[in-house]
């Protein structure tokens, strides 16, 4: 990356971001009646204990800060205090492999690489094994130390047993009481990049109390009362348009968010009413606030979020899911800075084997390719979903058929919210490229026949009633007519009729109009017509006109041209993989 490019990047007013990876920290079984109502008394569910690795990189100081949010289940359950061991018997079957240290190791990190461990709260299934992190600073919410020391007067619930010697005093920070020193949102300072656990709690949107850890908006500690004294959540900004809310035990079941279920209660052996939350009313208010965040587009992940864990698209979001992508320790400082820039501009989930290979072999080309790729992403005249579908069309066109990118952009489209039907329709639209064999060849055939004195009459006047009916059918199904079709209709009406049916599927299925809006269909045609592997000018001009007729803009068309230009990077995707294989064979 040149000094000029570096300066351009540093001067860009992009929001500060962090990367977030999930960490698998064991699984255990829950009796559902203690968490949701109504439910069968015998219903049980196996859930994960999730932790999270959050990494913050300060562009100005070049400092990276690593935070682990929760430590999950303890590797050796016999090391829990006896009352907790007795309670653990009710949570079988249980698995503590992998624990947090093994999950970190999968991505090349060891506990000594972790600067801070932040606990959502100090229940047994979140505390892990603090002694595994001898150099880390532990951070707990206000009131947590009173629980650990047995001095809290707050309601705890029947199974909330705590270990007084859990945390080393000299390495532990307890946050200020959330109600103290509250300032309004507009009073918040910005942009220092230094971590601070002693700052003032402030409002943030619909969140009454939040603490800006780096004073740059990238990571907030959120007061999340109700479950247990000191219960806190995190809100992370991972891209300019995406935030992740790590909800701890604010909610144990997504059906509480949808309203299908309410918080469960039960009677203990003494007839006392018990609840998994220390303060049910506050817990319900916290869930209400999280529900608002989700409606605003924030991604919500809870500590025992079995639905999130089981979603196939989240498998690659666990740290170390692909070691070559996550292992920062193997990168040079310059490569690490480029990787951080990639995460900022494209998002960490876009980083795959091809990008990792390019970063290894040519950091300079990686930087240039990243800059080229980021421009349409940042201008965003088209939504991320439509951009992914456009790129999929270029990759899947019969003149390219680049399978790695077909995988890449299918994943991206699904992650951006595309449905199966929308992806299938994109492929159906792209499959029409083959007709250009006829739209190019038929006019040449007419020229050759004319040169031989065997000219075929042209024009609408030469068409039979059957041919005119086929033309009308095309116009009804496709919404337009162009003179380039006339010669094909004249010389091969049966083939034209078959092609009309073939090409009209995306326009006539799913209730008679397809699933993508007409403008988007035309943009997809533009994408594979303009791609360097095809460059079919008559079709490109036709479909550009159609885009504008459907209300599209020149900016949207230009963005399609930019996305199609990224086909060039496929040369490196393919060539560098071959290079790796050949070098490995020598």
């Amino acid at each position: 990356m040149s000094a000029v490019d570096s300066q351009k990047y540093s001067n860009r007013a992009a929001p500060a971001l962090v990367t977030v990876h999930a960490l698998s920290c064991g699984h255990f079984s829950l009796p559902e009646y203690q968490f949701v109502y109504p439910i069968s008394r015998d219903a049980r569910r196996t859930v994960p204990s999730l932790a999270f690795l959050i990494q913050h990189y300060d562009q100005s100081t070049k400092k990276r800060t690593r935070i682990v949010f929760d430590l999950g289940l303890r590797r050796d359950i016999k090391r829990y205090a006896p009352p907790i061991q007795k309670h653990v018997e009710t949570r079988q079957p249980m698995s503590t492999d992998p624990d947090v240290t093994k999950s970190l190791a999968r991505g090349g990190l060891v506990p000594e690489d972790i600067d801070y461990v932040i606990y959502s709260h100090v229940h047994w299934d979140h505390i892990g094994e603090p002694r595994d992190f001898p150099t880390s600073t532990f951070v707990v919410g206000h009131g947590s130390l009173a629980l650990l020391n047995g001095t809290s007067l707050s309601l705890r619930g029947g199974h909330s047993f705590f270990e007084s010697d859990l945390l080393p005093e000299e390495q532990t920070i307890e946050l200020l009481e959330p109600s103290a020193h509250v300032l309004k949102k507009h009073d918040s300072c910005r942009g220092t990049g230094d971590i601070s656990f002693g700052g003032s709690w402030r409002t943030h949107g619909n969140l009454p109390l939040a603490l800006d850890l780096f004073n740059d908006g990238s990571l907030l500690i959120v007061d999340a009362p109700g479950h247990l004294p000191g219960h806190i959540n995190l809100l992370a900004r991972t891209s300019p348009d995406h935030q992740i809310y790590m909800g701890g035990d604010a909610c144990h079941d997504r059906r509480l968010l949808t309203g299908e279920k309410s918080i469960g209660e039960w009677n203990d052996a003494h007839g006392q009413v018990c609840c998994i939350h220390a303060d049910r009313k506050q817990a319900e208010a916290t869930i209400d606030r999280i529900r608002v965040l989700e409606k605003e587009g924030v991604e919500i992940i809870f500590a025992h979020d079995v639905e999130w864990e089981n979603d196939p698209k989240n498998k690659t979001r666990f740290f170390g899911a692909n070691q070559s992508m996550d292992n920062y320790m193997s990168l040079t400082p310059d490569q690490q800075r480029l990787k951080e820039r990639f995460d900022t501009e494209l998002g960490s989930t876009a980083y795959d084997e091809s990008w990792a290979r390019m970063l290894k072999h040519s950091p300079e080309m990686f930087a240039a390719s990243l800059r080229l790729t980021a421009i349409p992403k940042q201008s965003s005249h088209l939504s991320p979903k439509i951009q992914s579908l456009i790129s999929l069309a270029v990759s899947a066109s019969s003149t390219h058929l680049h399978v790695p990118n077909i995988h890449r952009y299918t994943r991206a489209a699904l992650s951006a919210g595309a449905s199966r039907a929308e992806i299938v329709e994109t492929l159906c639209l792209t499959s029409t490229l083959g007709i250009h064999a006829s739209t190019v060849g038929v006019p040449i055939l007419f020229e050759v026949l004319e040169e031989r004195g065997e000219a075929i009459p042209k024009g609408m006047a030469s068409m039979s009633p059957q041919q005119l009916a086929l033309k009308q059918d095309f116009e009804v199904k496709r919404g337009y007519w162009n003179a380039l079709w006339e010669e094909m209709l004249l010389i091969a009406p049966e083939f034209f009729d078959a092609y009309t049916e073939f090409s009209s599927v995306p326009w006539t299925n799913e209730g008679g109009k397809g699933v993508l809006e007409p403008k988007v269909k035309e943009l997809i045609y533009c994408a594979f017509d303009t791609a360097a592997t095809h460059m079919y000018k008559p079709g490109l001009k036709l479909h550009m006109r159609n885009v504008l007729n459907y209300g599209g803009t020149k900016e949207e068309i230009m963005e399609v041209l930019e996305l199609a230009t990224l086909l060039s990077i496929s040369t490196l995707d393919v060539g560098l993989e071959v290079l790796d294989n050949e070098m490995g064979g020598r």
Side-chain angles (χ1 to χ4, degrees):
M1 181 168 56
S2 69
V4 173
D5 287 345
S6 298
Q7 187 62 39
K8 286 181 180 177
Y9 174 74
S10 63
N11 289 340
R12 190 175 299 157
L17 306 174
V18 294
T19 62
V20 176
H21 287 87
L23 300 168
S24 181
C25 302
H27 292 77
F28 61 107
S29 178
L30 295 176
E32 292 197 76
Y33 75 90
Q34 293 184 4
F35 299 88
V36 295
Y37 175 86
I39 201 75
S40 168
R41 184 81 177 187
D42 298 325
R44 294 183 72 84
R45 171 183 271 196
T46 297
V47 300
S49 186
L50 296 175
F52 298 90
L53 171 67
I54 299 103
Q55 300 188 76
H56 178 276
Y57 182 75
D58 190 310
Q59 292 287 344
S60 60
T61 65
K62 311 302 180 187
K63 179 181 178 181
R64 178 181 288 104
T65 301
R66 294 189 177 100
I67 296 169
V68 169
F69 184 53
D70 281 343
L71 297 182
L73 299 177
R74 188 165 291 177
R75 180 172 56 253
D76 181 2
I77 61 175
K78 293 182 180 179
R79 279 192 37 78
Y80 282 122
I84 297 177
Q85 290 188 47
K86 184 176 180 180
H87 173 70
V88 165
E89 294 175 3
T90 70
R91 297 301 188 246
Q92 300 296 332
M94 175 184 291
S95 170
T96 61
D97 185 20
D99 69 344
V100 68
T101 58
K102 183 178 286 189
S103 289
L104 286 170
R106 286 176 174 173
L109 294 180
V110 295
E112 287 77 8
D113 294 316
I114 305 305
D115 300 294
Y116 299 94
V117 173
I118 300 178
Y119 280 131
S120 65
H121 61 298
V122 291
H123 269 150
W124 66 277
D125 53 320
H126 297 258
I127 59 175
E129 190 73 272
R131 69 176 185 172
D132 288 339
F133 294 80
T135 62
S136 302
T137 298
F138 295 87
V139 181
V140 295
H142 185 80
S144 298
L145 295 184
L147 289 175
L148 295 178
N149 296 328
T151 59
S152 173
L153 300 178
S154 300
L155 176 68
R156 302 179 190 173
H159 66 276
S160 297
F161 307 105
F162 305 101
E163 298 173 337
S164 59
D165 60 349
L166 177 69
L167 299 175
E169 182 178 353
E170 67 280 2
Q171 293 173 234
T172 302
I173 296 172
E174 183 175 48
L175 299 177
L176 294 175
E177 185 177 358
S179 60
H181 309 295
V182 177
L183 298 178
K184 293 183 178 180
K185 182 178 179 181
H186 66 262
D187 293 325
S188 175
C189 61
R190 313 297 296 168
T192 68
D194 296 325
I195 196 165
S196 172
F197 294 100
S200 298
W201 294 84
R202 297 173 170 87
T203 59
H204 181 84
N206 77 307
L207 301 173
L209 296 167
L211 184 65
D212 190 341
L213 277 190
F214 293 97
N215 294 303
D216 60 9
S218 63
L219 185 65
L220 306 180
I221 292 180
V222 179
D223 181 39
H227 179 62
L228 196 71
H231 187 254
I232 53 177
N233 295 168
L234 296 185
L235 179 62
R237 182 174 294 280
T238 57
S239 74
D241 57 357
H242 187 66
Q243 295 182 87
I244 298 175
Y245 186 91
M246 290 154 274
D249 276 5
C251 181
H252 294 83
D253 193 302
R254 285 192 171 271
R255 290 172 293 183
L256 294 172
L257 278 185
T258 62
E260 298 172 67
K261 303 288 183 182
S262 59
I263 295 173
E265 292 182 339
W266 73 98
N267 293 326
D268 64 11
H270 306 289
Q272 297 294 318
V273 176
C274 299
C275 180
I276 200 68
H277 298 291
D279 188 320
R280 174 171 177 161
K281 186 175 181 180
Q282 282 193 326
E284 289 173 336
T286 293
I287 292 173
D288 286 342
R289 287 191 287 271
I290 295 173
R291 187 180 294 116
V292 171
L293 288 175
E294 187 171 53
K295 289 180 179 178
E296 293 174 346
V298 176
E299 181 180 14
I300 310 298
I301 314 174
F302 299 109
H304 308 303
D305 205 328
V306 64
E307 288 86 2
W308 188 91
E309 182 190 48
N310 289 339
D311 190 331
K313 72 175 183 289
N314 293 328
K315 297 301 182 184
T316 59
R317 300 176 67 184
F318 283 81
F319 191 59
N322 189 322
Q323 187 169 350
S324 68
M325 291 190 286
D326 285 333
N327 193 352
Y328 282 86
M329 305 304 291
S330 67
L331 301 178
T332 67
D334 285 343
Q335 289 172 326
Q336 289 177 350
R337 284 191 285 273
L338 285 172
K339 175 58 170 65
E340 293 291 342
R341 176 183 162 191
F342 184 100
D343 292 344
T344 298
E345 297 194 4
L346 299 185
S348 60
T349 57
Y351 192 69
D352 56 20
E353 285 283 4
S354 295
W355 281 108
R357 196 178 290 114
M358 196 192 310
L359 179 57
K360 177 181 75 171
H361 285 290
S362 179
E364 298 82 4
M365 197 63 181
F366 179 94
S369 299
L370 170 58
R371 184 182 177 199
L372 191 68
T373 304
I375 288 174
K377 300 293 183 184
Q378 291 168 351
S379 57
S380 297
H381 296 294
L382 301 171
S383 70
K385 180 181 78 172
I386 301 305
Q387 286 191 352
S388 298
L389 295 177
I390 294 295
S391 297
L392 173 61
V394 173
S395 302
S397 63
S398 57
T399 53
H400 191 39
L401 292 175
H402 182 50
V403 175
N405 269 356
I406 295 174
H407 282 289
R408 174 187 281 171
Y409 294 120
T410 299
R411 284 195 302 268
L414 290 169
S415 297
S419 67
R420 179 193 62 82
E422 288 173 324
I423 292 174
V424 170
E425 189 163 288
T426 297
L427 298 175
C428 291
L429 291 161
T430 305
S431 69
T432 62
L433 180 150
I435 195 59
H436 296 158
S438 294
T439 55
V440 171
V442 168
I444 295 174
L445 175 58
F446 267 66
E447 289 178 12
V448 170
L449 291 173
E450 186 175 358
E451 291 168 359
R452 290 172 55 87
E454 301 171 13
I456 298 175
K458 300 180 182 179
M460 305 296 295
S462 303
M463 290 187 183
S464 67
Q466 176 200 14
Q467 290 168 323
L468 290 172
L470 292 176
K471 173 181 178 292
Q472 184 178 13
D473 182 49
F474 184 96
E475 291 174 322
V476 169
K477 291 178 177 177
R478 296 292 302 278
Y480 74 97
W481 180 258
N482 189 278
L484 63 86
W485 296 110
E486 291 180 5
E487 293 170 338
M488 188 191 306
L489 177 54
L490 285 167
I491 197 170
E494 290 186 4
F495 183 78
F496 181 87
D497 186 24
Y499 175 73
T500 298
E501 180 182 354
F502 176 82
S503 65
S504 298
V505 170
W507 296 85
T508 58
N509 67 341
E510 300 287 343
K513 60 180 181 179
V515 293
L516 296 170
E517 63 174 302
K519 179 189 75 173
V520 173
K521 291 182 173 73
E522 294 293 341
L523 288 170
I524 288 171
Y525 290 139
C526 289
F528 62 73
D529 275 350
T530 196
T533 49
H534 192 40
M535 303 184 75
Y536 181 57
K537 182 178 178 180
L540 178 59
K541 193 170 184 179
L542 165 67
H543 294 300
M544 282 183 174
R545 287 196 189 102
N546 289 346
V547 169
L548 297 173
N549 289 339
Y550 281 122
T553 66
K554 63 181 184 298
E555 289 81 11
E556 290 174 325
I557 294 174
M558 186 63 220
E559 199 157 279
V560 168
L561 305 183
E562 292 169 358
L563 291 166
T565 302
L566 301 180
L567 176 148
S568 300
I569 299 174
S570 301
T571 299
L572 292 155
D573 292 343
V574 175
L576 293 180
E577 183 177 11
V578 172
L579 175 62
D580 271 354
N581 291 337
E582 291 297 324
M583 290 177 64
R586 290 178 180 268

